[in-house]
């Protein structure tokens, strides 16, 4: 299911619309063939309830999945604020250190904010941003270790160490949140249910030998496919149309500017 993450959304949108419309046409022709082969079967009174049940199931699956991805998106937005607060606290507590540790720590934290913001403008920078973030963690923690080795074990030093530890912990939490996506099996079930629903819709329209009006079928497909694309977009932490607001980190960057 990596293709659903790597392909542009507009390609997925157009491709999915064409697939469901094709499924409806195939269903219609299949229904005509069945009526021609088995003339005695006539119009089934179960067709309407069957289609209604299938569409209801599809709507339920879409609503359930939409709720899940909105929850993930909200969690990622909250983590941005948490991280901005953690970095800001570490920056302030770095002022307790003597030079040159104070200057080095604050320079590293400024760079850290820039690194965290970089993937928002170019998702290809995500891996390098993660690598550099972990390097900054090591450098910041080495300052803590060096001060402790020199006998600086005061309560103030403990506050600084706690702040750096929080920055590192939040990094891990944000990374986990960014990698949390819908199970590929669930996405496959959604697509299968979507295609089968339109296939059955086509079969049902063949009972009286009349196709569903093209405009009606197209608008019907647009509603379901647009909902599906919104779910896939929210399932992409980077590179989607709906992105995680980084205002908290951007404001912090302005505050930390020399």
């Amino acid at each position: 299911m990596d293709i659903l993450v790597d392909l542009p959304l507009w390609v997925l949108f157009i491709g999915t619309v064409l697939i469901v419309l094709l499924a409806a046409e195939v269903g219609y022709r299949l229904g005509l063939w069945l009526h021609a082969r088995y003339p005695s079967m006539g119009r089934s009174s179960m067709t309407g309830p069957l289609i209604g049940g299938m569409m209801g199931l599809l709507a339920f699956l879409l609503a359930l999945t939409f709720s899940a991805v909105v929850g993930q998106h909200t969690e990622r937005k909250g983590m941005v604020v948490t991280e901005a607060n953690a970095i800001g606290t570490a920056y302030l507590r770095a002022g307790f250190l003597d030079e040159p540790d104070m200057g080095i720590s604050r320079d590293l934290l400024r760079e850290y904010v820039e690194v965290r913001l970089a993937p928002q403008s170019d998702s290809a920078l995500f891996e390098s941003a993660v690598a550099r973030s972990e390097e900054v963690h090591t450098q910041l923690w080495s300052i803590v270790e060096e001060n402790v080795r020199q006998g600086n074990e005061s309560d103030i030093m403990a506050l600084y160490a706690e702040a750096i530890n929080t920055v590192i912990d939040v990094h891990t939490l944000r990374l986990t949140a960014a990698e949390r996506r819908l199970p590929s099996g669930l996405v496959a079930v959604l697509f299968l249910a979507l295609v089968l629903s339109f296939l059955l819709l086509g079969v049902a329209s063949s009972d009286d030998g009349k196709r569903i009006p093209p405009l009606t079928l197209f608008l019907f497909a647009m509603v379901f496919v647009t909902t599906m694309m919104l779910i896939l977009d929210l399932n992409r932490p980077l590179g989607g149309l709906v992105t995680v607001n980084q205002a908290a980190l951007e404001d912090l960057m302005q505050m930390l500017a020399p």
Side-chain angles (χ1 to χ4, degrees):
M1 285 299 165
D2 287 342
I3 188 174
L4 298 179
V5 177
D6 298 333
L7 277 180
L9 277 175
W10 67 269
V11 174
L12 286 173
F13 178 78
I14 294 175
T16 305
V17 169
L18 292 177
I19 289 173
V20 297
L21 292 179
L22 179 61
E25 179 64 20
V26 170
Y28 175 77
R29 292 181 180 275
L30 177 62
L32 292 179
W33 179 81
L34 288 173
H35 283 289
R37 187 173 180 83
Y38 306 103
S40 60
M41 74 180 198
R43 178 179 173 84
S44 174
S45 60
M46 293 299 294
T47 301
L50 179 63
I51 296 300
M54 190 66 188
M55 287 299 176
L57 175 61
L58 176 60
F60 172 75
L61 288 174
L62 289 174
L64 189 64
T65 309
F66 184 78
S67 176
V69 293
V70 167
Q72 292 177 0
H73 183 73
T74 302
E75 179 187 4
R76 295 184 188 116
K77 289 198 298 183
M79 291 303 302
V80 174
V81 178
T82 301
E83 182 167 59
N85 290 335
I87 297 171
T89 300
Y91 185 88
L92 292 175
R93 292 183 182 179
F96 298 145
L97 302 177
D98 296 328
E99 290 289 2
D101 291 341
M102 181 182 72
I104 294 173
S105 296
R106 288 186 164 178
D107 287 343
L108 286 172
L109 288 168
R110 287 193 200 97
E111 180 190 356
Y112 188 72
V113 178
E114 294 176 356
V115 168
R116 306 302 278 180
L117 288 171
Q120 290 303 122
S121 57
D122 185 358
S123 58
L125 297 175
F126 179 75
E127 295 297 333
S128 60
V130 171
R132 180 54 189 157
S133 295
E134 293 172 352
E135 290 174 359
V136 172
H137 295 163
T138 301
Q139 292 174 284
L140 289 170
W141 194 252
S142 67
I143 293 174
V144 175
E145 292 178 339
E146 186 61 30
N147 276 270
V148 172
R149 288 194 192 97
Q150 293 175 3
N152 186 0
E153 300 179 6
S154 64
D155 292 340
I156 291 179
M157 190 64 210
L159 289 174
Y160 174 74
E162 179 188 6
I164 298 301
N165 190 62
T166 301
V167 170
I168 296 172
D169 289 345
V170 173
H171 162 76
T172 303
L173 292 175
R174 281 201 70 187
L175 198 59
T176 302
E179 294 174 347
R180 187 180 298 122
R181 293 190 176 94
L182 293 174
S184 57
L186 176 58
V187 178
V189 168
L190 284 176
F191 270 96
L192 183 61
L194 182 63
V195 173
L196 287 179
S197 295
F198 278 82
L199 181 69
L200 289 175
L201 197 62
V203 172
S205 68
S206 69
D207 279 352
D208 55 6
K210 296 180 181 179
R211 286 187 175 88
I212 299 174
L215 180 59
T216 301
L217 183 62
F218 177 74
L219 293 176
F220 200 54
M222 288 288 289
V223 170
F224 280 95
V225 175
T226 299
T227 304
M228 175 71 79
M229 292 303 107
L230 182 57
I231 289 172
L232 293 178
D233 189 28
L234 289 171
N235 196 42
R236 298 179 175 189
L238 296 171
L241 298 176
V242 182
T243 58
V244 177
N245 192 333
Q246 303 291 315
L249 283 174
E250 292 170 353
D251 291 343
L252 178 64
M253 188 69 253
Q254 294 179 0
M255 292 174 58
L256 301 188

